[in-house]
Amino acid sequence: MNRLIENATLLTVDPTDTVYPAAPLAMAGDRLVGVGTVPDGFVPDETVDGTDHLVLPGLVNAHTHIPMALFRNYADDLPFWPWLMERIKPMEDHLSAEHVYAGTRLGVLELLQAGVTSFLDMYFFMDQVARGVEESGIRACLCGGLLDPNPELGAFLFKEATHLHDTWHGKAGGRLTVQLGPHSPYLCSAGYLKEAAQEAQRRNIGLHIHVSESREEVANSRGAHGKTPVQYLADLGVLERPTAAAHCVHVDEADQSLLAEYQVKVLHNPTSNLKLANGVAPIPQLLAKGVTVALGTDGHASNNNVNLFEELHLAALLHKGIQADAEAVPAATAIRMATLNGAKALGLEHEIGSLEVGKKADVIMLDARKPHYWPRHNPVAAVTYSAQAADVRHVFINGEWVVKDYAVQTLDPEAVLQEGEALAQDLVRRATA
């Protein structure tokens, strides 16, 4: 089907951050065929009025554990390690496929309503996450979580992760891709990390991993290996694969140079890092070294929502205050972190992340008739500093309506909410019995 959005303000996130006022956007099937102009001979089957709307590429949430929607508001105001080992891990020990499917549906409903069209996820029972992705119409890169506290569990999870790739990579109309997700240097042995990197090389896919999230992690790595987690991964050869590294909060200048050298995509999760008192990643320094920085929310247990507009706002503001530099992360840079840089983290920058002819028609429309968009001095600043998830009126993925007039078209919200509540309470009962 041919669809035409008319008279909208387009924020393209193209190489020059072009903004088109009162302009058209043409979609033919699942591709963009006109950005700012309508191609000759294009006849729309449907026209969407974009008057008083801002149109952007769909947001990319580059680090999630989306089934953890069931954990929302359960383990708050705790230090990182007690939070992880005493509250979160006991819940995860009782997870079933049914829990993960319900949590996925709840999390994806929230993502879509907030204008996120793609996400990068690492968790368990990932076939259930894939099932939720397929049904909902969202785009995702999924990674089976890998850790080896004992050889039996490590082998089982590795088999599950590779089976996920064999079963789901390229499926759901091309909306689903699969990488490998070794959890972290502290939950994976050296041999296991090497095995993951070698398997990723054989399959020509990337890795998604947590790195240098907490001070304790870095201190333990120095004690155990005589080097930081980043240096350790580099020495093991892990970073030779395309790597998306979540957090990177405690990375010194040598680490930053290694991340740049290996073209690691850093996944910045400002809310999660603040909530767990892990600190603030040195994003301006990483950007200055040429590192690609994307934005993520992390899981609901360490953030409480997957609203990428909050991360976009915080990324633009936080570093200004930390650096005492009002230009530390400009508005346009923050938007790029939430769109094109996220696409790069998923290995999909040639398909999504910007409004350019030939790319997938993953598009969101913000209702700018609301008072926080007025007066209309600068649409880029408006998105970075004023826009809210509740402003997302329409969402297209692969050129198809997924959210229309604020309503998700692919899921039954009431059924998702009730199912999520029931399964979350069931999980708590199991974990605390």
Side-chain angles (χ1 to χ4, degrees):
M1 176 176 284
N2 290 348
R3 289 191 171 93
L4 179 67
I5 300 172
E6 288 186 319
N7 201 39
T9 298
L10 310 182
L11 282 67
T12 65
V13 199
D14 68 7
T16 58
D17 287 318
T18 305
V19 175
Y20 294 103
L25 183 76
M27 299 177 273
D30 65 350
R31 297 283 174 177
L32 299 175
V33 295
V35 179
T37 61
V38 179
D40 292 340
F42 181 85
V43 178
D45 300 299
E46 182 177 37
T47 300
V48 181
D49 185 9
T51 304
D52 294 327
H53 285 72
L54 301 177
V55 174
L56 291 81
L59 304 186
V60 181
N61 190 335
H63 182 61
T64 64
H65 308 291
I66 209 66
M68 294 183 82
L70 299 189
F71 293 53
R72 191 197 317 268
N73 305 329
Y74 172 72
D76 298 309
D77 302 328
L78 294 171
F80 178 69
W81 286 100
W83 167 85
L84 179 62
M85 304 308 293
E86 297 172 19
R87 297 299 298 276
I88 300 306
K89 189 176 184 301
M91 289 270 280
E92 291 184 329
D93 288 343
H94 290 83
L95 277 171
S96 70
E98 186 180 19
H99 294 122
V100 168
Y101 178 63
T104 296
R105 281 160 53 85
L106 179 57
V108 168
L109 176 66
E110 183 184 0
L111 287 172
L112 291 173
Q113 289 182 331
V116 172
T117 57
S118 303
F119 69 104
L120 174 57
D121 201 81
M122 174 202 300
Y123 210 57
F124 311 107
F125 296 102
M126 292 300 286
D127 57 325
Q128 297 301 311
V129 181
R131 179 182 164 203
V133 167
E134 183 176 44
E135 294 171 353
S136 68
I138 202 167
R139 190 182 305 280
C141 178
L142 305 182
C143 308
L146 298 174
L147 57 154
D148 64 335
N150 59 69
E152 293 76 17
L153 180 58
F156 171 77
L157 292 176
F158 207 94
K159 181 179 179 181
E160 289 289 293
T162 54
H163 179 71
L164 181 75
H165 183 267
D166 293 339
T167 305
W168 286 101
H169 187 67
K171 299 298 177 60
R175 290 183 285 105
L176 239 169
T177 56
V178 177
Q179 298 184 0
L180 295 182
H183 181 276
S184 59
Y186 59 86
L187 288 182
C188 297
S189 66
Y192 200 63
L193 288 166
K194 288 181 179 179
E195 184 181 6
Q198 290 164 358
E199 187 65 28
Q201 182 176 9
R202 280 193 289 271
R203 294 170 179 267
N204 193 30
I205 57 176
L207 300 172
H208 180 197
I209 187 169
H210 301 82
V211 181
S212 298
E213 181 175 2
S214 69
R215 298 170 184 85
E216 187 172 354
E217 176 190 342
V218 176
N220 289 345
S221 180
R222 288 188 183 277
H225 309 298
K227 58 192 74 172
T228 68
V230 173
Q231 293 162 356
Y232 177 61
L233 291 171
D235 288 350
L236 290 176
V238 172
L239 302 185
E240 293 175 10
R241 292 304 307 153
T243 301
H247 303 298
C248 295
V249 177
H250 300 285
V251 287
D252 59 21
E253 188 171 356
D255 287 341
Q256 295 166 28
S257 295
L258 282 172
L259 293 169
E261 176 185 346
Y262 285 99
Q263 300 181 49
V264 172
K265 310 303 186 290
V266 168
L267 315 178
H268 183 32
N269 300 263
T271 297
S272 174
N273 297 152
L274 289 173
K275 186 184 179 190
L276 295 176
N278 280 327
V280 178
I283 298 305
Q285 290 83 355
L286 289 165
L287 291 172
K289 288 183 179 292
V291 175
T292 296
V293 178
L295 288 179
T297 57
D298 210 352
H300 291 77
S302 61
N303 190 328
N304 301 66
N305 65 56
V306 287
N307 178 358
L308 207 66
F309 281 101
E310 288 189 1
E311 307 306 316
L312 196 162
H313 298 165
L314 192 54
L317 295 173
L318 179 63
H319 303 286
K320 291 174 169 60
I322 296 291
Q323 302 293 321
D325 177 4
E327 298 177 303
V329 179
T333 299
I335 292 174
R336 187 168 290 264
M337 289 162 62
T339 53
L340 186 59
N341 286 5
K344 291 178 180 179
L346 276 62
L348 296 175
E349 65 269 29
H350 300 298
E351 294 282 355
I352 62 171
S354 60
L355 302 181
E356 298 182 78
V357 170
K359 284 197 169 185
K360 293 286 189 179
D362 289 9
V363 179
I364 65 174
M365 297 180 64
L366 306 181
D367 184 351
R369 298 171 295 183
K370 299 181 179 181
H372 49 274
Y373 289 96
W374 297 73
R376 297 182 168 183
H377 294 305
N378 182 338
V380 174
V383 169
T384 302
Y385 301 117
S386 298
Q388 304 295 317
D391 302 337
V392 176
R393 183 178 180 185
H394 303 312
V395 176
F396 301 89
I397 299 176
N398 269 355
E400 297 293 332
W401 289 102
V402 181
V403 177
K404 186 175 185 179
D405 285 321
Y406 304 101
V408 175
Q409 304 294 294
T410 54
L411 297 169
D412 178 347
E414 187 60 30
V416 169
L417 296 177
Q418 294 303 321
E419 177 188 50
E421 180 71 19
L423 270 294
Q425 297 303 329
D426 174 75
L427 189 56
V428 171
R429 284 193 294 270
R430 292 170 184 264
T432 58

